[in-house]
Amino acid sequence: RDDSAFYLQNIYQLLANPNVYDAFNPPPVITPPAFSPPRYAVWVNSLWFLSLAISLTSALLATLLHQWTRRYVTITQPIQCSPQKRARIRAFFADGIDECGLPWVIEALPTLLHLSLSLFLAGLLIFLFNVNQTAFNAVLVWVALFVGVYACITFMPIFRHDSPFYSPLSSAAWFLYAGTLYAVFRVLSSVPGSRDNFRDLKDRYRGWVLGGVEK
């Protein structure tokens, strides 16, 4: 489209001034400038293609986890086996699951999906900001509402320990919150005259850091 507009503009200039050039003085051959995409388009395509790659990776990982689960159930619960043998097989594979970090792989699946959605929404906001302000404002309101709800879900386990809501960032928020308070009370407990007042709080948040959210 840029090339067509460039040539049409030059044709218009030639037609508007037909006496400038003649058979002995032909117009010079001109070429359009090299195409250079706007910076926002590069950002939008980068974020969207990265989001697509992460979502496809998540789909593949979900398929693999489903296959691994079916294989685990088939091997650890054979039909023609005694309960004692089933227990031994299950214990054997339970050690492998813990040592190979399968729970971490399971936790990584929703994390990748959340990351993919975040990248897509970021690219969408950049795109709409440079295209149409009304559409950008409408989508921004919904994204802001979504971010607020997601933040509440993330931080809720910190302030309400019986909360069933949880996000992949809850563990990081928990360690940041507990680690910051532990460092603060550790410094305060070293001050002469206030050591006993903050020692219990220091030990409490130290246990929170070492134990994690589940503890």
Side-chain angles (χ1 to χ4, degrees):
R1 187 178 60 182
D2 294 339
D3 292 346
S4 301
F6 175 81
Y7 286 118
L8 288 174
Q9 183 180 4
N10 283 274
I11 293 174
Y12 172 79
Q13 293 177 356
L14 291 175
L15 294 177
N17 300 290
N19 298 324
V20 175
Y21 301 101
D22 53 24
F24 300 98
N25 184 24
V29 178
I30 54 177
T31 57
F35 172 72
S36 179
R39 180 173 298 180
Y40 84 90
V42 177
W43 275 101
V44 169
N45 282 274
S46 300
L47 292 172
W48 280 355
F49 279 113
L50 183 58
S51 174
L52 176 62
I54 294 176
S55 63
L56 293 177
T57 304
S58 303
L60 177 60
L61 182 59
T63 304
L64 291 175
L65 286 173
H66 181 67
Q67 292 178 344
W68 295 338
T69 304
R70 292 184 58 186
R71 178 178 180 271
Y72 174 78
V73 172
T74 302
I75 294 177
T76 58
Q77 298 180 8
I79 299 177
Q80 299 177 354
C81 280
S82 61
Q84 293 81 5
K85 187 174 182 179
R86 291 184 183 180
R88 294 191 186 99
I89 296 174
R90 184 181 181 279
F92 175 77
F93 277 95
D95 293 337
I97 289 175
D98 294 334
E99 293 176 0
C100 295
L102 183 60
W104 289 98
V105 178
I106 297 175
E107 289 292 333
L109 180 59
T111 303
L112 291 176
L113 290 175
H114 292 194
L115 178 61
S116 175
L117 178 60
S118 300
L119 293 175
F120 175 80
L121 292 178
L124 181 61
L125 289 177
I126 295 175
F127 175 75
L128 294 177
F129 179 79
N130 292 273
V131 173
N132 187 278
Q133 194 67 30
T134 303
F136 169 77
N137 294 333
V139 176
L140 181 62
V141 170
W142 174 256
V143 172
L145 179 63
F146 166 75
V147 171
V149 174
Y150 191 86
C152 292
I153 294 174
T154 300
F155 292 103
M156 191 173 292
I158 298 177
F159 303 102
R160 181 166 180 171
H161 298 165
D162 61 346
S163 172
F165 302 109
Y166 183 84
S167 75
L169 297 178
S170 294
S171 295
W174 174 276
F175 284 115
L176 181 62
Y177 171 77
T180 302
L181 291 180
Y182 168 70
V184 171
F185 289 122
R186 183 178 180 180
V187 173
L188 293 176
S189 63
S190 63
V191 177
S194 60
R195 184 174 302 174
D196 297 334
N197 297 330
F198 298 105
R199 182 179 299 174
D200 294 337
L201 292 173
K202 182 193 72 173
D203 295 336
R204 176 186 179 184
Y205 288 107
R206 180 176 181 272
W208 282 23
V209 173
L210 298 177
V213 181
E214 289 78 8
K215 182 65 176 179

